[in-house]
Amino acid sequence: MYVRGVVNSVQQRLTAISEPNRFRIVELLRDGPQSVGGIVDALGLGQPQVSRHLRLLAEAGVVEVTKRAQQRIYRLHSASMRELSDWVQGFAVLWSERMDRLGSFLEDDDRVPDEANRKGA
C-alpha cells in the first residue's frame, strides 16, 4: 500500500510539473523562495495565470506557501522533491547497472575474436 501511495504521489507531481509554465516556476523556485509578484515578473505571465499554476503545484505537493504580511511566498516542498529525486535515482541505478553489464559483455565479446584468431594462427 505504501508503494502505491508513493507512486501515485510521484505521478501526480510529475503531471503537475510537466506543464511548461509550471516547469518554469519549479525551475525558478529551485534558486530559492519567491513571491507571486516575483514569479510574475520573472516569467512574464499574468498574475491570475501564475496563481492558478501555483495552486496546482501546491495541490500536487510540489510547492508550499507561507504568508508574509500581504505577500504569499512560495518555495519548493523539499520532502516532495526528495521523493521525486529518489524515484528518478532508482532508474539511474537501473540504467547504470545495465550499462555496466553491456560494457562487460562488449569487453568479453571483443576478446573472443582475438582468442579465436590466435588459435587459428
Side-chain angles (χ1 to χ4, degrees):
M1 199 62 153
Y2 170 77
V3 171
R4 186 179 308 158
V6 169
V7 169
N8 288 340
S9 64
V10 166
Q11 183 178 14
Q12 183 182 15
R13 290 179 184 125
L14 289 174
T15 298
I17 294 170
S18 69
E19 195 281 331
N21 287 317
R22 290 193 290 269
F23 185 86
R24 291 173 56 205
I25 291 170
V26 169
E27 284 286 306
L28 181 64
L29 294 177
R30 183 173 58 172
D31 295 333
Q34 291 278 335
S35 67
V36 175
I39 296 169
V40 166
D41 292 343
L43 300 182
L45 300 172
Q47 189 275 327
Q49 186 180 14
V50 168
S51 292
R52 186 178 75 244
H53 288 308
L54 287 167
R55 181 179 49 79
L56 292 169
L57 288 168
E59 287 172 0
V62 176
V63 299
E64 54 191 7
V65 62
T66 55
K67 195 169 183 181
R68 188 179 342 154
Q70 297 300 318
Q71 290 186 324
R72 293 187 187 281
I73 307 298
Y74 285 85
R75 68 182 43 78
L76 293 176
H77 189 270
S78 59
S80 295
M81 298 310 286
R82 195 172 314 109
E83 191 176 85
L84 284 175
S85 176
D86 292 346
W87 183 80
V88 169
Q89 188 61 32
F91 287 95
V93 169
L94 172 75
W95 281 106
S96 178
E97 291 171 357
R98 288 182 178 180
M99 295 307 265
D100 288 346
R101 285 196 314 251
L102 176 61
S104 296
F105 173 78
L106 292 174
E107 287 175 8
D108 291 345
D109 195 46
D110 286 345
R111 285 187 220 137
V112 171
D114 292 340
E115 291 173 12
N117 287 339
R118 277 184 266 165
K119 289 179 183 174

